[in-house]
Amino acid sequence: MTALTVFILLCTVFTACADEPSTSSGGADIKSFWDSTGLGEMVWWAKRLIYAGLSLEVAKWDFGHLIDNLKLLVLMNPNPRSGDVLNYIGTFIKIVIPLYMLAIAVTGFYLLLISGSPKGRAKAKFLMRDLVVGMVAVSLSPLILQLLVNVSYQATDAVLSQTDIGIVTTSMTSVLGGTDPVNGVLCPLCVLHTFVTFIEIELGYYTFLPFFLVVWGSLVFFFLRFAIISLWMIIFPLSVLLYSFATTRDVGRNMLEQTILWIYMQFFIAVILVAVALCLTQRPAGFMSVGMANDLPSNIVEKTFIWYLPSVLFDFIPFIGCLVMIIAPLLMLRLFKGFLP
Amino acid sequence: MKNKLITALAIISLLAPSIYASGAKPPTQVWESLPDIVKNVKTGWDSWGNTRIKNFLSVHHGEHPRLLLYFAFLYFFVEGVSEDVSSNLEKYILMNPDPMKPEVLNVLNFFISALQRIYILAIAATALYMLFGSLSPRQRALSKYMLGRLVLGFLLVSISPYIISLAFQLSSQTTSMILAQADSNVVKSEYNGVLFKCWVYSFAAVAAPVVFENTAWHKLEGYIDKRLENIIEELTPDHVVAHSAADALAGQYTDMDQLESLAEKSAKQTAEGTTLGQTLQWVDKIKIEPQAAFTFPFLMLSMLLVFGLYGFLSLRYIMVMVWTLLFPLTIFFSSFELTKGLGRNMAEQTIFWIIMQVFYAVSLCVVAVGFALIPAGYEFFGIGPGDPFAYFSVSFFTIGGLLVFLLSPLFLLMMTQRRTA
C-alpha cells in the first residue's frame, strides 16, 4: 500500500467522522461555528475530492501491472508437468487407467471367447484400437498437454512479436498533463469521473463502472483463462476416456474441444491485440475519437485546466479493443465449436 | 461557441445591476445624472449581487453553478458528437483497413510464410505417398484430389492480401454506390436532433423545479404564511387571557412581555394545527430539489445513440482487421477435410464483418426513406409536449429508425445465422 493510499484512507476516516452536525440536541452552536468558519463547506468538497481520488486509486489498482506485463499475461499458461497440476492429472490417470484396462480386458474376452458375427467382431476390433490409443493418450496426458501449450505459446509469442503492442497500452494511459495526444480511454474516464463526482456524487458511481470493465475486466479475463485451462488440463484424462466410447463421445468431444479452445485462446487474444495496435497506427487522425472539441489542444492556453476538459477526446478503438478481448472467449467458443470429428 | 457563451454570460452579469439603475429619473444631461447612475448601479449591485449571486453561488454547496457547468459540458459533448457525425458518418461507414500497408502486410506475411512451409511439407508428403505408397485406385484418386486442393490453397494463401484487398474494394464500392442513393442528411439531422432534444429535456428536468419553486411555489408559500400570520394575530388576545387566567390559578405572576410571548407561541401552535398550517408543512415536504439524477433517462438515451454508433463502427473496424490477419489461416483450414468446418466458420465471419458496411448503407437508405414516409401527423408523436411545442418532441419513429440503423449489425447477424435444426 502506497503512502498516498494511506493518506487518502486517513483523510476519508477523518472526514467521515467530521460529519456536518445536526441542529437538534443542542448542536446549533456547533452548526453556527461550522458555517461561520467555512469548515462545513471544506468538508463537503473534501469528501468528494477524496471519493474521486480514492475510487480512481482503487479502480487503477494493478493497472500498472497490466500495462507493464501485458505480453506476459497473454503468454501465461499453467505448466502441466509440474506442481499441483501434475499431481491432479496423475490422480485422474490413476482413476482412468484401470477403467481402460477393464474395458480392454472385456473387449479382449469378447473377441477371444464370444466370437459373434463378423460385424460384431469388426466393431470390437475398432473399439479395441480406440481403447489402446486412448490408454496411450491418457498415459501421455501431461506430455500431450505440454505439446499443445508449447505450440500455442510459440505461435502467440511469434504473433505478438510482429508489431509493437505497446501502442495499445499507451493509447489507454495517455494521462492528464502528459504529452500529446491527450485522448485515450482512461484519461477521459478519470477526468469525467472526477468532474461528475463534484456535480453529483451519484453520477460518479456510474462513471466508476467503465474502469471495472477496462482494468479489472482485462485482468480477470487473463486469470479466468488460466484457471479454466488448469481445470481442463486436470480432467484431460477423463475427456479422452469419454471420447473413446461411442455413447459418451459427444461429452468427450465437447470437453476436448474446450481444452483446445481455451489453450489456443491466447493466440486469438494476441491476434486481437495486434489488430487493435494496427488499427491505432493505420486509422486516419481523429477516427473514432469523440469529445467536446474534436481537435486536440494546440497551445499552452488550451492546455490549462479550464480548457483541458473540453479538449479531452474519448477514443473508442482501444476501449472496444478491451471489450473484444474480454468477450473473446464467448466469440471463440461460439465460432469454433464442433471442429473435432 | 464556447467564446460566445462566455461572452454572453459576462454581458448578462455586467448588465444585471443596471436593471436597478433603470429606475433613475430621465436625465437632462448625461454628466449631470452620472453620480445618480453610479449610485444606482452600486445600490443595484449591492442588492442584486449580494443576494441573488451570493445565493446562486452558495445554495447547497454551489449546486446551481455545478449544475450549469454540467449542462454546459453536456452541451459541448453533444455538439462535438453532432459535428463529427455530420461531417464524417459516411467516411466512418466506408472505412476499411488497408491490407497492403506495410505494417499490416508485415503481419500477413508472417502468417503466409509460416503456412507456406506447412503447405510445402503437406504437398511433398502427399506427392511421396502418391509415388511410393499408393495402394488402391481410390486412394490414388483421393491423394490427387488432396494434392490439387493443397496446391490451390498454397496459391490462395500466397495471394491472400490481394484477395482480401479486392474484397474490401468491392464492398467499399458497393457501399458508396448505395450511400449515393440515400439522403444521409435526413438521418444525420434526426440523430443530432434527438441528441439536442435529449439535452433540452435534461435541462428542463432540472430547471423546471427551480423555476416552479421560485414562482408558483414561492407565491403559494407566501400566501399561506400571510394567512397564518393573520390567524395568529386573531388568536393571540384569546391566548393572553387564557395564559393570565392559568397564571392566576397557579398563583404565579408573569410580566406582560413574557405573557404575550407565551400567548403568541401557543397561538402559533394552534395555527399550525389548522388545515392551512398542515398544508404549509405538506407544501414544504413535497418540494422537489433539483438534482442531476433527473437527467438520467435522457442521458441514457443519448449514450445509447453515441455508443451504438461509435461502438459498433469501432467494433467492425477491429473485427475486420482481426479477420484480415487471420485470412491466410482461414484458407489454410479450408484446405483440409478435418478442419474444413473451422475454415468455413472463419470465412463466414470474414465475409460477415466486411459486408456489414454494405448493410449499414442499406439501413441508412431504408431509415432515410422511412423518415420521409412517416404518416402526416405522426412526425411529432413521441416524447415531449404537444402543440405549440410539438417541434421539441422526440418522435418514436425517429428513435425506432435510429435504432434500426445502429443495431443493423445485429439484424445482419440474425439473417446470416445458419439453421441448426
Side-chain angles (χ1 to χ4, degrees):
Chain A
M1 196 179 278
T2 60
L4 179 70
T5 315
V6 174
F7 174 73
I8 289 172
L9 279 172
L10 284 173
C11 288
T12 313
V13 172
F14 167 73
T15 48
C17 295
D19 205 350
E20 196 171 323
S22 64
T23 47
S24 62
S25 65
D29 291 342
I30 306 170
K31 174 136 178 63
S32 65
F33 168 75
W34 195 262
D35 291 340
S36 63
T37 53
L39 197 62
E41 199 71 21
M42 274 168 62
V43 167
W44 192 91
W45 287 96
K47 271 184 182 176
R48 271 133 191 93
L49 184 67
I50 288 164
Y51 167 71
L54 192 66
S55 54
L56 286 176
E57 184 75 10
V58 169
K60 289 191 286 178
W61 267 343
D62 281 331
F63 184 66
H65 185 78
L66 176 73
I67 294 300
D68 296 340
N69 304 301
L70 186 62
K71 196 173 173 181
L72 287 176
L73 285 167
V74 175
L75 289 169
M76 186 172 65
N77 280 319
N79 187 353
R81 294 183 67 197
S82 70
D84 287 340
V85 179
L86 186 64
N87 291 338
Y88 286 120
I89 294 175
T91 311
F92 270 94
I93 291 172
K94 279 176 195 162
I95 295 168
V96 167
I97 289 288
L99 292 174
Y100 263 116
M101 286 170 74
L102 189 70
I104 288 169
V106 169
T107 316
F109 278 121
Y110 176 82
L111 275 171
L112 289 172
L113 305 174
I114 314 165
S115 47
S117 62
K119 198 184 165 196
R121 283 181 69 81
K123 213 172 164 183
K125 268 187 185 174
F126 274 117
L127 182 63
M128 181 67 108
R129 187 199 64 182
D130 285 355
L131 287 171
V132 172
V133 170
M135 197 170 78
V136 172
V138 165
S139 309
L140 298 174
S141 299
L143 288 172
I144 294 169
L145 287 168
Q146 185 74 59
L147 182 73
L148 286 172
V149 166
N150 282 354
V151 171
S152 170
Y153 179 92
Q154 293 299 335
T156 310
D157 194 24
V159 169
L160 287 174
S161 312
Q162 295 309 306
T163 190
D164 178 22
I165 58 163
I167 191 169
V168 180
T169 52
T170 311
S171 70
M172 283 177 69
T173 54
S174 301
V175 288
L176 199 68
T179 51
D180 289 338
V182 290
N183 56 352
V185 176
L186 290 186
C187 169
L189 284 177
C190 283
V191 175
L192 182 73
H193 180 67
T194 313
F195 174 67
V196 300
T197 300
F198 283 99
I199 300 298
E200 194 149 339
I201 204 156
E202 288 86 354
L203 280 169
Y205 307 152
Y206 295 96
T207 49
F208 188 47
L209 295 177
F211 284 104
F212 278 109
L213 210 61
V214 174
V215 182
W216 292 12
S218 310
L219 279 167
V220 165
F221 163 72
F222 288 120
F223 291 102
L224 180 87
R225 180 183 162 272
F226 191 87
I228 290 179
I229 291 179
S230 304
L231 172 79
W232 289 119
M233 277 182 171
I234 288 164
I235 58 171
F236 184 72
L238 193 67
S239 309
V240 176
L241 175 79
L242 294 174
Y243 191 61
S244 302
F245 301 101
T247 46
T248 55
R249 183 154 290 169
D250 283 344
V251 182
R253 185 191 293 125
N254 278 341
M255 288 166 77
L256 281 178
E257 274 179 5
Q258 291 286 321
T259 313
I260 295 167
L261 286 178
W262 280 98
I263 288 174
Y264 283 91
M265 200 169 279
Q266 64 179 163
F267 177 77
F268 196 59
I269 295 296
V271 173
I272 289 172
L273 276 174
V274 169
V276 174
L278 288 173
C279 286
L280 288 167
T281 51
Q282 282 268 299
R283 65 174 173 173
F287 176 64
M288 288 298 149
S289 293
V290 71
M292 298 176 201
N294 288 333
D295 50 4
L296 298 172
S298 54
N299 55 50
I300 191 73
V301 179
E302 287 187 7
K303 283 178 186 175
T304 53
F305 182 76
I306 192 70
W307 291 112
Y308 185 79
L309 192 59
S311 308
V312 172
L313 299 176
F314 186 80
D315 198 347
F316 275 88
I317 295 281
F319 183 69
I320 299 292
C322 276
L323 290 188
V324 173
M325 203 168 75
I326 295 163
I327 60 162
L330 295 175
L331 206 68
M332 220 180 149
L333 297 178
R334 188 183 165 274
L335 291 178
F336 300 140
K337 67 180 177 187
F339 66 89
L340 278 180
Chain B
M1 186 63 205
K2 273 177 282 192
N3 293 337
K4 280 181 193 169
L5 197 80
I6 290 162
T7 314
L9 280 172
I11 290 168
I12 290 166
S13 311
L14 289 170
L15 285 179
S18 65
I19 295 164
Y20 291 85
S22 63
K25 286 175 189 172
T28 46
Q29 295 291 335
V30 175
W31 56 88
E32 280 176 15
S33 60
L34 205 60
D36 286 340
I37 291 173
V38 171
K39 193 183 167 191
N40 280 325
V41 166
K42 192 179 176 303
T43 316
W45 175 253
D46 286 346
S47 162
W48 201 85
N50 280 345
T51 54
R52 294 294 175 95
I53 290 183
K54 204 173 172 184
N55 282 346
F56 177 79
L57 291 173
S58 62
V59 166
H60 199 242
H61 312 283
E63 187 168 45
H64 292 153
R66 281 189 286 120
L67 283 172
L68 270 183
L69 202 63
Y70 170 66
F71 283 111
F73 282 117
L74 265 185
Y75 177 81
F76 290 134
F77 182 73
V78 166
E79 198 194 18
V81 171
S82 60
E83 267 177 21
D84 195 40
V85 167
S86 299
S87 45
N88 296 320
L89 184 64
E90 288 94 341
K91 202 174 87 182
Y92 287 171
I93 292 173
L94 284 167
M95 190 67 72
N96 279 321
D98 184 1
M100 304 313 282
K101 283 262 178 81
E103 298 93 350
V104 186
L105 207 55
N106 189 31
V107 182
L108 273 172
N109 282 337
F110 160 75
F111 282 111
I112 291 168
S113 58
L115 293 175
Q116 276 174 340
R117 285 169 203 159
I118 299 172
Y119 267 116
I120 288 167
L121 274 175
I123 289 167
T126 316
L128 285 173
Y129 178 77
M130 275 180 71
L131 286 173
F132 304 111
S134 51
L135 300 167
S136 63
R138 191 169 168 271
Q139 280 173 328
R140 280 183 69 82
L142 205 69
S143 305
K144 268 188 186 171
Y145 173 69
M146 190 68 203
L147 193 66
R149 284 187 72 151
L150 284 173
V151 171
L152 186 67
F154 179 79
L155 289 173
L156 288 176
V157 163
S158 305
I159 58 165
S160 56
Y162 300 97
I163 297 172
I164 200 87
S165 184
L166 189 69
F168 284 149
Q169 276 177 22
L170 276 173
S171 167
S172 188
Q173 289 296 326
T174 315
T175 310
S176 55
M177 277 169 69
I178 296 168
L179 280 175
Q181 305 302 314
D183 184 10
S184 59
N185 287 331
V186 177
V187 181
K188 284 190 248 179
S189 66
E190 291 290 340
Y191 182 89
N192 295 338
V194 173
L195 285 182
F196 277 107
K197 284 170 190 174
C198 280
W199 181 85
V200 169
Y201 285 131
S202 302
F203 187 76
V206 173
V210 179
V211 173
F212 191 63
E213 193 184 323
N214 286 324
T215 53
W217 218 245
H218 192 66
K219 280 196 188 313
L220 182 66
E221 277 184 325
Y223 171 75
I224 296 173
D225 266 336
K226 207 172 176 184
R227 287 291 306 275
L228 279 175
E229 274 172 25
N230 290 340
I231 291 171
I232 292 164
E233 271 178 30
E234 283 168 15
L235 285 173
T236 307
D238 294 343
H239 282 261
V240 169
V241 173
H243 273 282
S244 53
D247 283 348
L249 276 173
Q252 289 175 341
Y253 170 75
T254 315
D255 67 53
M256 204 55 204
D257 286 346
Q258 202 177 350
L259 195 68
E260 273 181 7
S261 170
L262 280 169
E264 200 173 327
K265 205 175 171 185
S266 60
K268 200 177 173 188
Q269 277 173 357
T270 315
E272 277 171 2
T274 60
T275 316
L276 209 60
Q278 295 290 321
T279 311
L280 186 67
Q281 281 178 23
W282 276 104
V283 165
D284 195 49
K285 273 180 191 166
I286 59 174
K287 205 182 274 179
I288 301 165
E289 294 292 331
Q291 288 172 15
F294 294 167
T295 62
F296 280 7
F298 299 105
L299 200 64
M300 291 293 135
L301 183 59
S302 306
M303 287 299 115
L304 177 73
L305 293 182
V306 173
F307 275 80
L309 183 67
Y310 286 90
F312 271 119
L313 285 171
S314 305
L315 181 68
R316 181 191 166 270
Y317 192 70
I318 292 171
M319 292 311 288
V320 165
M321 184 64 94
V322 168
W323 293 113
T324 301
L325 297 181
L326 289 174
F327 191 59
L329 271 176
T330 307
I331 298 170
F332 175 76
F333 285 136
S334 304
S335 302
F336 299 96
E337 206 60 42
L338 192 69
T339 54
K340 209 193 232 173
L342 202 64
R344 192 175 56 191
N345 275 345
M346 290 169 76
E348 276 176 4
Q349 285 298 311
T350 313
I351 296 165
F352 169 79
W353 289 103
I354 291 174
I355 64 160
M356 195 181 280
Q357 62 179 167
V358 180
F359 204 72
Y360 259 120
V362 172
S363 309
L364 196 74
C365 278
V366 169
V367 173
V369 172
F371 285 146
L373 293 178
I374 293 175
Y378 284 90
E379 301 97 320
F380 305 119
F381 183 70
I383 308 162
D387 286 331
F389 303 108
Y391 179 74
F392 288 102
S393 297
V394 180
S395 166
F396 291 137
F397 282 98
T398 308
I399 297 173
L402 290 174
L403 286 180
V404 167
F405 172 61
L406 299 179
L407 304 177
S408 53
L410 296 181
F411 294 126
L412 183 64
L413 182 72
M414 284 190 281
M415 277 164 57
T416 51
Q417 250 179 351
R418 211 182 297 133
R419 289 187 184 193
T420 48

